[in-house]
Amino acid sequence: MCYHLSQGVQSDRLKERYRAKNFKEQDKIKPVYHASAFSFLPWPVITNHEPDTIQAMHWGLIPAWAKSQDDAQKLRTNTLNARIETIFEKPSFREAAHKKHCLVLATGFFEWQTVGAKKYPYYIHLKDEEIFSMAGIWETWTDKKSGETRETFSILTTEANPLMAQIHNSKQRMPVILSKETELNWLQKGFDETTINSFAKPFDENKMVAHTVSRFISEKYSNTPDVLKPYTYPEFMQTSLF
């Protein structure tokens, strides 16, 4: 699945890349070199409702029908990712899948390869694109008790391409990565069981690159540029995959 992201550029660079006219709560978006989904950090997204605007949303989708704060907290830990193949079957995702698509902005992501009894972390990014988009869905939830409103999102996943199947060999999944040419299509189309299938294809492995990184990624203070640096494991010499 996809639980670890990197977004290592300043907000102005994001605005330039997506030609955004507006950037809501821009002060909340800082470079994040490693973020775990379970930290529920605000993350830059672009929604189908405001395709010319970047805004901050929290990872972990809370469906509109969640009854209480406790329900919301429990649900979001299980909605960090959504399998694109079954998205219309899941009550938590169904409404958003039909009506609320978004781009989740990133510069890379992390996955672990299992070799014997050990796991090796990899950093994965695109060869020719500093910033890219993952397909997401989003939702607005209002706490009836406090009146507080939250906007949250989930990242869609699909079957792994050969590169990601080699790295994420335990689950063989990967995020749905959109090319520049399909970003607007994701925001404007693909809102039913038929049209969404065109987005379920794994991204071209020849446009991706990956290398092993240090287990420093598992430390509490791993949100530094050092977390992205290639690291060679003596017992596991292959450190880059193309």
Side-chain angles (χ1 to χ4, degrees), residues 159-177:
E159 63 179 288
N161 61 26
L163 171 70
M164 288 306 303
Q166 183 178 351
I167 296 173
H168 193 26
N169 55 353
S170 61
K171 299 289 186 181
Q172 297 196 336
R173 301 289 295 177
M174 67 179 292
V176 175
I177 298 174

Side-chain angles (χ1 to χ4, degrees), residues 1 81-95 97-98 137 156-159 173 176 192-193 196-197 200:
M1 305 303 279
N81 291 167
R83 293 173 66 97
I84 195 169
E85 301 93 335
T86 59
I87 194 170
F88 291 103
E89 301 172 13
K90 306 297 182 181
S92 294
F93 302 134
R94 189 180 299 128
E95 187 73 11
H98 279 294
I137 54 175
L156 272 62
T157 67
T158 188
E159 63 179 288
R173 301 289 295 177
V176 175
D192 60 45
E193 291 87 337
I196 203 170
N197 288 336

Side-chain angles (χ1 to χ4, degrees), residues 26 34 41 76 119 134 137 142 158 170 178 206 233 239:
Q26 186 169 352
H34 169 235
L41 287 176
R76 70 176 185 170
K119 291 188 176 183
M134 298 178 180
I137 54 175
T142 301
T158 188
S170 61
L178 302 167
N206 295 310
Y233 291 88
T239 59

Side-chain angles (χ1 to χ4, degrees), residues 13 17 107 125-132 180 203-209:
R13 179 71 186 93
R17 156 66 170 84
T107 54
H125 57 101
L126 302 193
K127 284 184 180 179
D128 301 318
E129 298 290 340
E130 179 188 23
I131 306 165
F132 61 92
K180 280 186 175 181
F203 195 75
D204 185 354
E205 66 168 334
N206 295 310
K207 297 181 179 180
M208 302 173 69
V209 63

